[in-house]
Amino acid sequence: MSTDYRFKIVMLGDGAVGKTAMTARFTQDYFEADYKRTIGTDFSVKRMNIPEIEAHVTLQIWDLAGQPRFEFVRQGFYRGSRGGLLLYDVTRRRTFINAEAWKDEAFKNLKGEIPLVLVANKVDLTDSRAVTTEEGEEFAKKNGFLYVESSALTGENVEQAYIELCKIMIEEGKTKSSGPII
Ligand code: G3D
Ligand code: MG
């Protein structure tokens, strides 16, 4: 018998790092095409089974439509989220530097820490890579995040990133003795 869980999660990171592409790849298994039009709004939902931990998870994935300039616009976006994927683009160093600010903004708005998975996206663009694996791993380690290298284009590690986050959120729920969220 699987246990049911339901989580709201947020996609964090600078503009054009691949938040929408990754969400589309995961929820609909496609890249490009019309995803900007179909997901432009508030959130998308994905149901999944994680057999090895006997969990059935419904994920409500919130993605910022555009990049609102003012933080207050993003407050509702954070509210109630239990975890997130923090993305940067391995070909643009600035997006890696800014990951720290995204983390700070999320924890400030949530009034505490939530599990985050650091996602180094666009690893298919090997020739223009500007941030090394070691740098990504070091930042993740320093903050206690899991580190994943992905490509929304090829699909590499996309599902894994969400699954790893689910596992951490489920574990957290247990240690905080709140039991499953149904
Ligand atoms: P955002 O939602 O974080 O703002 P998007 O980012 O998902 O809109 O992606 C921004 C651009 O990066 C898009 O290109 C998208 O196709 C591309 N992209 C996203 N993920 C990857 C990836 O893993 N590899 C490669 N090569 N490109 C990716 P356009 O040209 O539509 O702006
Ligand atoms: Mg987007």
Side-chain angles (χ1 to χ4, degrees):
M1 257 289 272
S2 290
T3 307
D4 285 317
Y5 298 89
R6 186 180 296 267
F7 299 114
K8 171 183 172 180
I9 65 167
V10 283
M11 301 297 289
L12 305 175
D14 278 3
V17 295
K19 300 181 298 295
T20 304
M22 187 154 172
T23 305
R25 165 66 77 191
F26 176 59
T27 59
Q28 300 161 41
D29 197 23
Y30 76 168
F31 183 80
E32 293 282 21
D34 287 336
Y35 73 77
K36 281 175 185 136
R37 237 176 309 143
T38 48
I39 302 188
T41 54
D42 286 337
F43 62 84
S44 41
V45 173
K46 171 86 171 178
R47 293 182 182 82
M48 62 206 265
N49 281 311
I50 312 178
E52 68 265 32
I53 56 167
E54 297 192 329
H56 183 252
V57 183
T58 304
L59 276 186
Q60 200 185 70
I61 307 168
W62 286 59
D63 180 21
L64 287 169
Q67 295 289 328
R69 202 168 131 223
F70 300 105
E71 193 180 328
F72 74 84
V73 179
R74 295 193 287 267
Q75 285 169 354
F77 167 75
Y78 289 113
R79 194 167 303 128
S81 59
R82 297 283 302 275
L85 297 187
L86 174 51
L87 275 74
Y88 62 92
D89 174 348
V90 293
T91 71
R92 287 184 295 138
R93 195 162 187 87
R94 171 53 51 190
T95 67
F96 174 62
I97 307 289
N98 287 345
E100 180 112 38
W102 281 102
K103 173 208 76 172
D104 290 344
E105 181 183 291
F107 291 174
K108 189 180 103 191
N109 277 277
L110 287 156
K111 298 180 177 59
E113 301 194 0
I114 54 167
L116 297 180
V117 172
L118 183 69
V119 180
N121 189 41
K122 307 197 190 181
V123 292
D124 57 285
L125 300 172
T126 42
D127 290 348
S128 38
R129 186 147 181 167
V131 186
T132 65
T133 299
E134 291 70 29
E135 289 173 302
E137 281 176 344
E138 196 187 319
F139 176 71
K141 193 172 165 204
K142 197 179 90 197
N143 289 283
F145 304 152
L146 222 61
Y147 173 76
V148 171
E149 299 198 331
S150 74
S151 166
L153 177 66
T154 66
E156 179 185 347
N157 278 342
V158 168
E159 192 176 24
Q160 285 81 349
Y162 291 94
I163 288 179
E164 290 308 325
L165 178 62
C166 284
K167 287 183 182 169
I168 304 170
M169 291 188 297
I170 290 168
E171 251 338 284
E172 265 237 338
K174 282 180 186 154
T175 54
K176 284 187 176 162
S177 73
S178 53
I181 303 7
I182 299 175

